[in-house]
Amino acid sequence: MKNNVVVVGAGIGGLTASLELVSRGFDVSLIEQHDQPGGKMREVATSSGGVDSGPTVFTMRWVFDALMDKLGTTLDDIVDLQQADCLARHSWLDGSSLDLFADVDRSIEAIRDFAGQSDAQAYRKFTDKTARVFETLDAGFMQTQRPTLAGLTVNVGLRHPRRLLETKPFVSLWDELGRVFTDPRLRQLFARYATYCGSSPMASPATLMLIAHAEQAGVWAVRGGMQRFADALAKLAAERGVSVRLGERVDEIRLRRGKVQGVLLESGESIDAAAVVFNGDINALSAGLLGDALTRAVPDRRKEARSLSALTWSLSARASGFPLQYHTVFFGGDYRAEFAAIFDQQQVCDEPTLYVCAQDRPMTGSDIGPQRGDESTERLFVLMNAPPRRLSNDEISVFEDRVFGLLNRHGLHIDTAEATLTAPQDFAVRFPGSEGAIYGWPTHGWTGSFRRGGSRSKLPGLYFAGGTVHPGPGVPMTALSGRLAAESIAQDLAGSVR
């Protein structure tokens, strides 16, 4: 038992933790209540094929390259990847549109045509700044166990004080972008990066501009859908000796004398372990969903405002009128009103921003139609940000009319053959403790990022991974959380591995 570890939850954080631990010689059992691995990286079946209905791409490929290197393989050995030439197409209700590209010079040229020379030059400076912000915070913040402002100041600020100030933690992303760009559409476009961690750009620190660099450094999709990525990681884990158990539920994380002893499954089976990694929403522990004794393992944040949720549609459909890209973002007219409605009123504004993933389209920036043998339908994923609360059927009906009516105003007409709708209450059921929030807590204010817990809990033997702990939500970030959990266990149980 001394080197036995149970990982609860096969999201990307749990998969990464399992692979990191088995590479260090631990005996690992990975237990997932759903029939497929991946967590929020899920697929919805349609007659046109599986529709990515969570993350549709990933960035920061080097995080996974480093993991594969430890395991003696490569990403290209386990999945078929395609890198995006066009990062996204963006559309506004005035009929204007803008494509951003992996090639900075192509983006500069597109912005020059879209907004003029001044903003094109501003974008060049912006890409340089976001690269420096990312580099400043990569090792000193994102890859540390549990960063503090004091630690960040010592590790980074004393050596590079100007670079630490350049991260702009005390300025909102919205205000900073207003200083960078004169065209309000560009401010709106780059402010959207705050939503990648479930936040409002008006309340989030400008530090989140580092997300722009993560995208600029490379965006990858998986041929066949992102579910293939989770499946490949689970298969690799099984090949390396992890006991991967899908469709099994953990009822309780068991303690003895205040220390983790293992887990109790819904089936009644008990598994002893020296350590347990919980890859789920940590509020599930505060709520006693894994045993009353676990409620003291984490600070109780259940009364705090949660992050964005979403209303999504996974479609087999015919799309016409607007030249979709793999990623297309459709903006409404009043961005402030959108986030005020969600965070202040728990509502949805009249003209919400909409995201459409057309995963049968190429990622090149060309206006080629769906790349399918049968082009009568294609796979579409439509997402609208929503408050993390139960929506009534009447509300959903109103919002649905609003969403597809707004797409029509942008020129996109969708003739739906099949649709699976996912509302905040569905996320709440699928991810216990989340209350429907997809990203944990919003990163609002300069302390937002520091409020996330680290990989260690207050109880000996209990560790965390996933989007509700440091360094936060998103595919590469949750992978980093899994690595940090494995490193903590290796340090704490040093000498117990074979």
Side-chain angles (χ1 to χ4, degrees), residues 140-331:
F141 180 82
M142 289 184 283
Q143 297 191 51
T144 59
Q145 281 290 347
R146 187 178 180 183
T148 62
L149 180 60
L152 186 62
T153 301
V154 170
N155 294 332
V156 179
L158 294 182
R159 290 182 289 118
H160 306 290
R162 287 188 60 187
R163 293 185 66 169
L164 188 59
L165 289 173
E166 197 173 27
T167 66
K168 299 291 183 75
F170 307 114
V171 179
S172 76
L173 179 61
W174 183 251
D175 288 346
E176 178 64 14
L177 290 171
R179 298 186 184 105
V180 173
F181 298 107
T182 61
D183 192 308
R185 296 169 298 177
L186 292 175
R187 185 188 198 184
Q188 190 177 30
L189 187 162
F190 291 105
R192 183 174 174 272
Y193 287 120
T195 66
Y196 286 28
C197 53
S199 306
S200 163
M202 289 78 193
S204 299
T207 312
L208 293 188
M209 61 183 149
L210 63 83
I211 299 172
H213 175 71
E215 276 206 347
Q216 190 67 64
V219 171
W220 281 266
V222 178
R223 295 188 194 278
M226 289 292 284
Q227 184 63 50
R228 306 291 82 72
F229 189 35
D231 292 343
L233 293 178
K235 179 182 177 183
L236 181 61
E239 291 172 349
R240 298 307 165 92
V242 175
S243 174
V244 179
R245 303 174 61 165
L246 303 178
E248 299 191 45
R249 181 184 177 88
V250 173
D251 261 2
E252 182 183 348
I253 296 175
R254 295 166 48 241
L255 304 180
R256 176 181 290 173
R257 296 174 183 172
K259 182 178 179 180
V260 165
Q261 184 185 21
V263 300
L264 178 66
L265 304 187
E266 186 178 45
S267 64
E269 180 184 356
S270 180
I271 303 175
D272 290 339
V276 171
V277 179
F278 177 65
N279 175 207
D281 195 299
I282 60 172
N283 262 8
L285 302 182
S286 300
L289 300 183
L290 288 156
D292 292 339
L294 273 295
T295 57
R296 62 187 179 87
V298 294
D300 190 349
R301 300 184 65 182
R302 285 176 292 170
K303 293 183 179 180
E304 295 184 26
R306 298 303 299 260
S307 75
L308 293 171
S309 187
L311 196 58
T312 71
W313 293 263
S314 305
L315 307 169
S316 170
R318 289 170 290 277
S320 61
F322 184 95
L324 288 170
Q325 280 293 297
Y326 196 95
H327 289 164
T328 308
V329 181
F330 297 91
F331 288 108

Side-chain angles (χ1 to χ4, degrees), residues 125-141:
K125 294 177 181 178
F126 181 68
T127 59
D128 292 341
K129 178 188 285 188
T130 58
R132 290 194 300 272
V133 171
F134 188 96
E135 183 182 349
T136 298
L137 296 177
D138 184 19
F141 180 82

